[in-house]
Tab-separated table of all heavy atoms in Angstrom:
chain	number	residue	atom	x	y	z
L	51	ASP	N	18.020	-18.342	-8.618
L	51	ASP	CA	17.814	-19.799	-8.921
L	51	ASP	C	18.996	-20.575	-8.273
L	51	ASP	O	19.899	-20.085	-7.669
L	51	ASP	CB	17.560	-20.018	-10.375
L	51	ASP	CG	16.549	-21.126	-10.669
L	51	ASP	OD1	16.716	-22.150	-10.094
L	51	ASP	OD2	15.679	-20.859	-11.404
L	52	GLU	N	18.974	-21.818	-8.710
L	52	GLU	CA	20.202	-22.761	-8.393
L	52	GLU	C	21.474	-22.091	-8.828
L	52	GLU	O	21.460	-21.534	-9.880
L	52	GLU	CB	19.849	-24.122	-8.767
L	52	GLU	CG	18.610	-24.803	-8.285
L	52	GLU	CD	18.735	-25.002	-6.851
L	52	GLU	OE1	19.855	-25.200	-6.261
L	52	GLU	OE2	17.611	-24.856	-6.117
L	53	PRO	N	22.583	-22.630	-8.271
L	53	PRO	CA	23.886	-22.031	-8.696
L	53	PRO	C	24.194	-22.320	-10.177
L	53	PRO	O	24.714	-21.388	-10.802
L	53	PRO	CB	24.896	-22.943	-7.792
L	53	PRO	CG	24.170	-23.109	-6.549
L	53	PRO	CD	22.675	-23.383	-7.029
L	54	ALA	N	23.785	-23.506	-10.692
L	54	ALA	CA	24.060	-23.730	-12.147
L	54	ALA	C	23.388	-22.686	-13.014
L	54	ALA	O	23.824	-22.201	-14.112
L	54	ALA	CB	23.543	-25.198	-12.504
L	55	ILE	N	22.146	-22.230	-12.588
L	55	ILE	CA	21.472	-21.227	-13.322
L	55	ILE	C	22.123	-19.809	-13.334
L	55	ILE	O	22.173	-19.096	-14.188
L	55	ILE	CB	20.011	-21.186	-13.011
L	55	ILE	CG1	19.257	-22.454	-13.313
L	55	ILE	CG2	19.215	-20.069	-13.763
L	55	ILE	CD1	19.446	-22.927	-14.775
L	56	GLU	N	22.458	-19.532	-11.945
L	56	GLU	CA	23.196	-18.233	-11.761
L	56	GLU	C	24.456	-18.144	-12.600
L	56	GLU	O	24.893	-17.120	-13.135
L	56	GLU	CB	23.472	-18.085	-10.327
L	56	GLU	CG	22.177	-17.915	-9.486
L	56	GLU	CD	21.203	-16.768	-9.902
L	56	GLU	OE1	21.805	-15.653	-10.250
L	56	GLU	OE2	19.957	-17.011	-9.987
L	57	GLU	N	25.235	-19.312	-12.700
L	57	GLU	CA	26.373	-19.353	-13.456
L	57	GLU	C	26.067	-19.226	-14.982
L	57	GLU	O	26.778	-18.567	-15.702
L	57	GLU	CB	27.162	-20.607	-13.149
L	57	GLU	CG	27.721	-20.805	-11.894
L	57	GLU	CD	28.240	-22.221	-11.546
L	57	GLU	OE1	28.348	-23.040	-12.469
L	57	GLU	OE2	28.639	-22.468	-10.391
L	58	TRP	N	24.913	-19.747	-15.434
L	58	TRP	CA	24.516	-19.679	-16.826
L	58	TRP	C	24.359	-18.212	-17.132
L	58	TRP	O	24.673	-17.717	-18.224
L	58	TRP	CB	23.193	-20.431	-16.982
L	58	TRP	CG	22.694	-20.468	-18.411
L	58	TRP	CD1	22.936	-21.320	-19.402
L	58	TRP	CD2	21.806	-19.428	-19.045
L	58	TRP	NE1	22.303	-21.041	-20.590
L	58	TRP	CE2	21.627	-19.853	-20.338
L	58	TRP	CE3	21.164	-18.282	-18.556
L	58	TRP	CZ2	20.829	-19.215	-21.243
L	58	TRP	CZ3	20.472	-17.667	-19.411
L	58	TRP	CH2	20.178	-18.023	-20.744
L	59	TRP	N	23.558	-17.470	-16.202
L	59	TRP	CA	23.356	-16.116	-16.506
L	59	TRP	C	24.589	-15.243	-16.544
L	59	TRP	O	24.695	-14.434	-17.448
L	59	TRP	CB	22.428	-15.530	-15.373
L	59	TRP	CG	20.999	-15.808	-15.503
L	59	TRP	CD1	20.075	-16.574	-14.837
L	59	TRP	CD2	20.226	-15.033	-16.502
L	59	TRP	NE1	18.904	-16.518	-15.217
L	59	TRP	CE2	18.863	-15.560	-16.301
L	59	TRP	CE3	20.355	-14.224	-17.458
L	59	TRP	CZ2	17.823	-15.198	-17.153
L	59	TRP	CZ3	19.335	-13.725	-18.181
L	59	TRP	CH2	18.029	-14.277	-18.048
L	60	VAL	N	25.592	-15.439	-15.741
L	60	VAL	CA	26.781	-14.721	-15.771
L	60	VAL	C	27.516	-14.985	-17.046
L	60	VAL	O	28.005	-14.103	-17.722
L	60	VAL	CB	27.806	-15.141	-14.572
L	60	VAL	CG1	29.154	-14.477	-14.765
L	60	VAL	CG2	27.151	-14.635	-13.175
L	61	GLU	N	27.572	-16.282	-17.475
L	61	GLU	CA	28.345	-16.601	-18.735
L	61	GLU	C	27.495	-15.952	-19.837
L	61	GLU	O	28.260	-15.359	-20.701
L	61	GLU	CB	28.220	-18.155	-18.900
L	61	GLU	CG	28.836	-18.624	-20.250
L	61	GLU	CD	28.678	-20.065	-20.484
L	61	GLU	OE1	28.521	-20.834	-19.464
L	61	GLU	OE2	28.814	-20.527	-21.605
L	62	LYS	N	26.253	-15.992	-19.982
L	62	LYS	CA	25.498	-15.499	-21.160
L	62	LYS	C	25.469	-13.975	-21.166
L	62	LYS	O	25.559	-13.334	-22.299
L	62	LYS	CB	23.990	-15.970	-21.106
L	62	LYS	CG	23.981	-17.498	-21.278
L	62	LYS	CD	24.630	-17.991	-22.566
L	62	LYS	CE	24.617	-19.504	-22.694
L	62	LYS	NZ	25.283	-19.988	-23.983
L	63	ILE	N	25.375	-13.357	-19.989
L	63	ILE	CA	25.424	-11.840	-20.046
L	63	ILE	C	26.792	-11.427	-20.452
L	63	ILE	O	26.996	-10.401	-21.217
L	63	ILE	CB	25.164	-11.329	-18.604
L	63	ILE	CG1	23.546	-11.566	-18.243
L	63	ILE	CG2	25.456	-9.850	-18.539
L	63	ILE	CD1	23.209	-11.246	-16.863
L	64	ASN	N	27.834	-11.990	-19.905
L	64	ASN	CA	29.219	-11.653	-20.347
L	64	ASN	C	29.442	-11.829	-21.824
L	64	ASN	O	30.023	-10.980	-22.525
L	64	ASN	CB	30.265	-12.426	-19.525
L	64	ASN	CG	30.370	-12.046	-18.104
L	64	ASN	OD1	29.909	-10.950	-17.748
L	64	ASN	ND2	30.947	-12.934	-17.258
L	65	ALA	N	28.860	-12.902	-22.376
L	65	ALA	CA	29.025	-13.137	-23.814
L	65	ALA	C	28.312	-12.154	-24.597
L	65	ALA	O	28.811	-11.685	-25.614
L	65	ALA	CB	28.592	-14.606	-24.136
L	66	PHE	N	27.154	-11.808	-24.228
L	66	PHE	CA	26.259	-10.866	-24.891
L	66	PHE	C	26.995	-9.495	-24.901
L	66	PHE	O	27.104	-8.852	-25.908
L	66	PHE	CB	24.874	-10.708	-24.361
L	66	PHE	CG	24.025	-9.639	-25.082
L	66	PHE	CD1	23.233	-10.074	-26.089
L	66	PHE	CD2	24.005	-8.328	-24.627
L	66	PHE	CE1	22.442	-9.150	-26.756
L	66	PHE	CE2	23.242	-7.399	-25.267
L	66	PHE	CZ	22.522	-7.806	-26.329
L	67	ASN	N	27.529	-9.034	-23.712
L	67	ASN	CA	28.127	-7.776	-23.657
L	67	ASN	C	29.392	-7.698	-24.426
L	67	ASN	O	29.602	-6.622	-25.017
L	67	ASN	CB	28.399	-7.501	-22.190
L	67	ASN	CG	27.076	-7.144	-21.368
L	67	ASN	OD1	26.076	-6.764	-21.975
L	67	ASN	ND2	27.169	-7.200	-20.080
L	68	GLU	N	30.061	-8.767	-24.544
L	68	GLU	CA	31.344	-8.771	-25.371
L	68	GLU	C	30.978	-8.594	-26.819
L	68	GLU	O	31.675	-7.927	-27.486
L	68	GLU	CB	32.103	-10.069	-25.095
L	68	GLU	CG	33.438	-10.139	-25.913
L	68	GLU	CD	34.451	-9.112	-25.359
L	68	GLU	OE1	34.499	-8.656	-24.251
L	68	GLU	OE2	35.356	-8.732	-26.153
L	69	ALA	N	29.906	-9.247	-27.263
L	69	ALA	CA	29.478	-9.234	-28.652
L	69	ALA	C	28.870	-7.749	-28.997
L	69	ALA	O	28.783	-7.496	-30.142
L	69	ALA	CB	28.570	-10.286	-28.977
L	70	HIS	N	28.337	-7.159	-28.061
L	70	HIS	CA	27.648	-5.855	-28.314
L	70	HIS	C	28.302	-4.710	-27.667
L	70	HIS	O	27.619	-3.706	-27.267
L	70	HIS	CB	26.130	-6.056	-27.791
L	70	HIS	CG	25.287	-6.997	-28.611
L	70	HIS	ND1	25.400	-8.380	-28.432
L	70	HIS	CD2	24.574	-6.856	-29.693
L	70	HIS	CE1	24.687	-9.019	-29.182
L	70	HIS	NE2	24.089	-8.143	-30.056
L	71	LYS	N	29.572	-4.790	-27.371
L	71	LYS	CA	30.292	-3.786	-26.718
L	71	LYS	C	30.148	-2.378	-27.375
L	71	LYS	O	30.328	-2.232	-28.546
L	71	LYS	CB	31.751	-4.031	-26.661
L	71	LYS	CG	32.617	-3.132	-25.801
L	71	LYS	CD	34.039	-3.626	-25.746
L	71	LYS	CE	34.085	-4.967	-24.942
L	71	LYS	NZ	35.450	-5.460	-24.755
L	72	GLY	N	29.827	-1.369	-26.641
L	72	GLY	CA	29.565	-0.093	-27.110
L	72	GLY	C	28.139	0.173	-27.674
L	72	GLY	O	27.666	1.297	-28.051
L	73	GLU	N	27.303	-0.905	-27.748
L	73	GLU	CA	25.873	-0.766	-28.383
L	73	GLU	C	24.928	-0.996	-27.296
L	73	GLU	O	23.964	-0.148	-27.000
L	73	GLU	CB	25.825	-1.723	-29.515
L	73	GLU	CG	26.685	-1.519	-30.635
L	73	GLU	CD	26.612	-2.698	-31.763
L	73	GLU	OE1	25.857	-3.571	-31.516
L	73	GLU	OE2	27.212	-2.470	-32.783
L	74	ILE	N	24.991	-2.289	-26.613
L	74	ILE	CA	24.095	-2.558	-25.454
L	74	ILE	C	24.849	-3.170	-24.426
L	74	ILE	O	25.771	-4.040	-24.583
L	74	ILE	CB	23.095	-3.635	-26.098
L	74	ILE	CG1	22.257	-3.116	-27.231
L	74	ILE	CG2	22.141	-4.058	-25.009
L	74	ILE	CD1	21.362	-4.160	-27.860
L	75	GLU	N	24.544	-2.701	-23.213
L	75	GLU	CA	25.089	-3.230	-21.934
L	75	GLU	C	23.954	-3.912	-21.205
L	75	GLU	O	23.029	-3.309	-20.789
L	75	GLU	CB	25.731	-2.127	-21.159
L	75	GLU	CG	26.357	-2.727	-19.806
L	75	GLU	CD	27.750	-3.425	-20.004
L	75	GLU	OE1	28.310	-3.250	-21.072
L	75	GLU	OE2	28.207	-3.918	-18.995
L	76	LEU	N	24.120	-5.357	-21.037
L	76	LEU	CA	22.937	-6.123	-20.442
L	76	LEU	C	23.422	-6.307	-18.871
L	76	LEU	O	24.522	-6.641	-18.497
L	76	LEU	CB	22.886	-7.509	-21.123
L	76	LEU	CG	21.945	-8.505	-20.660
L	76	LEU	CD1	20.506	-7.876	-20.700
L	76	LEU	CD2	21.959	-9.776	-21.498
L	77	LYS	N	22.426	-6.155	-18.135
L	77	LYS	CA	22.484	-6.270	-16.649
L	77	LYS	C	21.212	-7.171	-16.198
L	77	LYS	O	20.248	-7.171	-16.932
L	77	LYS	CB	22.472	-4.981	-15.918
L	77	LYS	CG	23.689	-4.081	-16.361
L	77	LYS	CD	23.471	-2.648	-15.859
L	77	LYS	CE	23.378	-2.583	-14.335
L	77	LYS	NZ	23.241	-1.102	-13.836
L	78	ARG	N	21.399	-7.794	-15.148
L	78	ARG	CA	20.312	-8.589	-14.468
L	78	ARG	C	20.264	-8.341	-13.046
L	78	ARG	O	21.289	-8.327	-12.354
L	78	ARG	CB	20.571	-10.079	-14.759
L	78	ARG	CG	19.544	-10.962	-13.990
L	78	ARG	CD	19.812	-12.508	-14.463
L	78	ARG	NE	18.910	-13.327	-13.597
L	78	ARG	CZ	19.445	-14.121	-12.526
L	78	ARG	NH1	20.752	-13.968	-12.302
L	78	ARG	NH2	18.762	-14.891	-11.877
L	79	GLU	N	19.021	-8.217	-12.558
L	79	GLU	CA	18.780	-8.168	-11.092
L	79	GLU	C	18.001	-9.467	-10.652
L	79	GLU	O	16.905	-9.731	-11.195
L	79	GLU	CB	17.908	-6.984	-10.719
L	79	GLU	CG	17.757	-6.700	-9.320
L	79	GLU	CD	17.143	-5.343	-9.016
L	79	GLU	OE1	17.014	-4.482	-9.973
L	79	GLU	OE2	16.827	-5.121	-7.809
L	80	ALA	N	18.643	-10.212	-9.874
L	80	ALA	CA	18.148	-11.647	-9.403
L	80	ALA	C	17.308	-11.239	-8.113
L	80	ALA	O	17.921	-10.811	-7.189
L	80	ALA	CB	19.149	-12.510	-9.225
L	81	ILE	N	16.084	-11.704	-8.158
L	81	ILE	CA	15.185	-11.303	-7.039
L	81	ILE	C	14.725	-12.620	-6.282
L	81	ILE	O	14.185	-13.575	-6.889
L	81	ILE	CB	13.994	-10.427	-7.538
L	81	ILE	CG1	14.434	-9.231	-8.259
L	81	ILE	CG2	13.040	-10.080	-6.465
L	81	ILE	CD1	13.501	-8.659	-9.164
L	82	VAL	N	14.878	-12.609	-4.966
L	82	VAL	CA	14.343	-13.802	-4.249
L	82	VAL	C	12.866	-13.883	-4.269
L	82	VAL	O	12.180	-12.829	-4.027
L	82	VAL	CB	14.845	-13.644	-2.800
L	82	VAL	CG1	14.247	-14.775	-1.915
L	82	VAL	CG2	16.376	-13.540	-2.705
L	83	ARG	N	12.396	-15.092	-4.636
L	83	ARG	CA	10.956	-15.353	-4.627
L	83	ARG	C	10.427	-16.189	-3.585
L	83	ARG	O	9.316	-16.002	-2.921
L	83	ARG	CB	10.583	-15.985	-6.000
L	83	ARG	CG	9.076	-16.078	-6.189
L	83	ARG	CD	8.657	-16.554	-7.687
L	83	ARG	NE	7.356	-16.392	-7.832
L	83	ARG	CZ	6.429	-17.406	-8.079
L	83	ARG	NH1	6.911	-18.574	-7.948
L	83	ARG	NH2	5.209	-17.230	-8.295
L	84	ALA	N	11.228	-17.258	-3.107
L	84	ALA	CA	10.848	-18.020	-2.120
L	84	ALA	C	9.489	-18.732	-2.256
L	84	ALA	O	9.101	-19.038	-3.495
L	84	ALA	CB	11.027	-17.365	-0.870
Side-chain angles (χ1 to χ4, degrees):
D51 217 310
E52 298 295 329
I55 297 304
E56 295 302 319
E57 292 172 8
W58 182 93
W59 275 111
V60 171
E61 177 186 339
K62 296 302 177 180
I63 289 173
N64 288 341
F66 180 91
N67 287 340
E68 183 64 28
H70 295 82
K71 189 173 294 184
E73 299 174 356
I74 302 173
E75 180 77 10
L76 181 57
K77 299 166 65 176
R78 169 176 172 257
E79 192 171 344
I81 301 167
V82 176
R83 186 168 190 251

